[in-house]
Amino acid sequence: METIFSHKPTLEGTRVRLRPIQGQDAEVIHRLIQDPDIAVLTGSVHSRTPQQSPWSVESLRAIYQQWSTSDDRLVLAVIEQKTGAMVGEVVLKDLHEENRSCGFRTLIGPDGRGKGLGTEATRMIIRYGLQSLGLHRISLEVYDFNPRARHVYEKVGFTHEGTGRDALRFEDRWIDVHYMSILDIDIY
């Protein structure tokens, strides 16, 4: 079934290029998700103790190959313009066409941090979703122990809508999750 996510664009920015994800990107994604910060900050693990990823390169290749043509999500690789290296991904997912809404997630690996790449990539995909695809609302979740990501989302225009208390058990404490969204009327 064709949806607004059927077309897989390439978006050009100053610092980053966003291009459709491909199955062969699995090796890079596999390396990125080995980063302990990504595992912790996305709530994928419950302690800082190093753990083996449950995802093999082969399983990721199959998943990303499927996502490269799927109608239920838009997954774009984040490519640093300066180096040509893939440093992460941005994803529009959980499409609800009747409500013109979807969810958003991203991951940026260590080589892409602190350069404004994540901010530009987020701004680009959000503007594309709201302006080009005609979405009205894009939402996300961010854990309380990830203020760097929350800062990026606020800078792009996301608004804090609420907090899910004690949403994640991490080591010996509970972590809240914050719900944020941006509307088409928030883009100027």
Side-chain angles (χ1 to χ4, degrees):
M1 177 180 105
E2 194 161 306
T3 72
I4 61 172
F5 290 162
S6 297
H7 173 68
K8 310 298 185 187
T10 296
L11 307 174
E12 295 289 338
T14 305
R15 295 182 176 126
V16 299
R17 181 175 79 253
L18 304 181
R19 65 146 171 86
I21 203 74
Q22 303 164 355
Q24 60 261 33
D25 294 323
E27 289 82 6
V28 175
I29 294 296
H30 188 263
R31 183 174 40 82
L32 293 177
I33 64 175
Q34 303 304 314
D35 176 57
D37 282 343
I38 286 178
V40 169
L41 297 175
T42 60
S44 300
V45 296
H46 298 279
S47 76
R48 289 201 181 272
T49 304
Q51 299 173 23
Q52 181 71 24
S53 171
W55 302 101
S56 68
V57 172
E58 294 76 26
S59 64
L60 288 171
R61 187 175 295 113
I63 290 167
Y64 279 86
Q65 186 60 44
Q66 178 190 2
W67 287 353
S68 72
T69 60
S70 71
D71 294 334
D72 70 337
R73 68 189 61 232
L74 176 60
V75 184
L76 300 179
V78 178
I79 309 298
E80 183 177 11
Q81 293 278 29
K82 185 176 177 182
T83 65
M86 181 178 168
V87 297
E89 68 180 10
V90 289
V91 181
L92 296 179
K93 61 189 185 80
D94 302 326
L95 176 64
H96 193 291
E97 284 193 287
E98 291 176 355
N99 288 333
R100 294 179 29 226
S101 67
C102 72
F104 169 75
R105 73 168 176 79
T106 185
L107 68 83
I108 301 293
D111 295 341
R113 294 186 196 133
K115 303 176 184 179
L117 306 179
T119 300
E120 183 176 73
T122 299
R123 185 173 283 119
M124 288 169 62
I125 190 71
I126 297 306
R127 283 183 186 266
Y128 177 77
L130 297 174
Q131 295 177 337
S132 298
L133 297 180
L135 291 168
H136 173 66
R137 182 177 192 276
I138 299 174
S139 61
L140 63 83
E141 297 179 3
V142 61
Y143 289 107
D144 194 49
F145 57 22
N146 195 353
R148 179 175 56 205
R150 186 168 174 181
H151 175 73
V152 167
Y153 303 144
E154 289 170 342
K155 192 169 16 172
V156 169
F158 279 86
T159 299
H160 182 259
E161 295 184 321
T163 300
R165 299 179 306 144
D166 293 354
L168 174 72
R169 183 76 174 156
F170 185 78
E171 295 186 335
D172 288 330
R173 60 190 178 116
W174 289 102
I175 307 298
D176 292 345
V177 66
H178 300 287
Y179 304 106
M180 302 180 79
S181 74
I182 188 167
L183 304 177
D184 55 358
I185 59 174
D186 297 332
I187 296 291
Y188 39 87

